[in-house]
Amino acid sequence: MARTRPHTARNRAAVGFLLPFCVLFLTTFVAPICYAVHQSLFRVERKGALGLGGETEVFAGLSNYTHALEDSQFLAGFGRVLLFGVVQVPVMILLATVLALLLEAASARGVVFFRTAFFLPYGVPGVIASILWGFLYVPGISPIVEMLDGAGLDVDFLSDGTLLWSIANIVTWEFTGYNMLILISQLKAVPDELYEAARIDGANAWQVAVRIKLPLIRPALVLTTVFSIIGTLQLFSEPLVLKPLTGNIDTGYTPNVHAYNEAFGANNYHVAAAEAVLLAVVACVLSFGFMRLVGRRGKVGDE
């Protein structure tokens, strides 16, 4: 019995450390998802003349999901964020990778300053960042637009053709530094002996970066890409803040904006819950699909 006591004590200590996380995970992640799924399966039924006789919740089955999938605005929002992600996510990950490699290879004197400078935009809340960039996009206020006009270039950052990419610029500015920091952390975990061996074998800086550093930070690249895919589907604050500045952002510009307007504009919480569940399902499918695709390519490369 004496031999089993240390083992039991370790198990109790492990449970004690895991318990706070499990409680938070269940209350802030699992419970809201279950509640959203529950809400999406019901609808409000009003009674009496003009619906003034009271209202009750009745089981609706999958009718809310059908309503969401038949909404052209909701589907158009999905198409818009998918186009956004196909262009913006690779650009942002590429930029974060280049910055991480440059900072990791730079001299120690300026690394801390530039690392902080690149990461600083992530500390600015998305709403504040959108307000700041909104002023830089509005003609008559923006010094950028004024300089472009002075150069003979007529650019409208809030037009229908450029608005999505103006939002992409805001998101890239916000999250490139965050992704860069994750990649730098992975680079710091690489043993220096590998770099020394490569240099002894005659490898230059480019060869070390391409053949050693990039393959070894592959898990971090996958992680940042998955985070970016999920963040793209959750695009919300940027278009919502820019909406008063342009007429090209409607109530269904992104799936999140559409669900928000269904809930708090049309008071249709059950359809909004169905749209939120559909958004979560698409995010899971794309994220796990990307990881499976990368995993297959990794196995083929190893072979």
Side-chain angles (χ1 to χ4, degrees), residues 101 205-215:
L101 292 173
W206 173 258
Q207 291 171 328
V208 170
V210 174
R211 298 182 180 180
I212 296 178
K213 293 182 179 180
L214 287 180

Side-chain angles (χ1 to χ4, degrees), residues 101-231:
L101 292 173
L102 289 175
L103 288 178
E104 198 275 337
S107 61
R109 179 174 295 179
V111 168
V112 175
F113 169 77
F114 285 106
R115 187 187 302 167
T116 304
F118 294 149
F119 180 75
L120 191 60
Y122 178 71
V124 180
V127 173
I128 304 300
S130 301
I131 293 173
L132 293 174
W133 279 101
F135 281 111
L136 295 176
Y137 289 155
V138 175
I141 301 176
S142 170
I144 298 176
V145 175
E146 185 177 350
M147 285 189 296
L148 291 174
D149 288 340
L153 299 174
D154 184 16
V155 179
D156 184 0
F157 292 106
L158 300 176
S159 67
D160 184 52
T162 59
L163 177 59
L164 187 65
W165 312 121
S166 297
I167 296 175
N169 173 66
I170 299 174
V171 175
T172 303
W173 180 81
E174 286 182 275
F175 292 101
T176 297
Y178 171 78
N179 293 320
M180 175 205 69
L181 206 62
I182 295 176
L183 297 176
I184 287 179
S185 300
Q186 183 75 49
L187 283 170
K188 294 298 182 184
V190 178
D192 293 334
E193 291 78 5
L194 289 177
Y195 301 149
E196 294 177 3
R199 294 188 186 98
I200 292 173
D201 289 339
N204 56 35
W206 173 258
Q207 291 171 328
V208 170
V210 174
R211 298 182 180 180
I212 296 178
K213 293 182 179 180
L214 287 180
L216 290 176
I217 64 171
R218 187 169 174 270
L221 287 171
V222 173
L223 178 67
T224 53
T225 303
V226 169
F227 284 170
S228 300
I229 291 172
I230 297 172

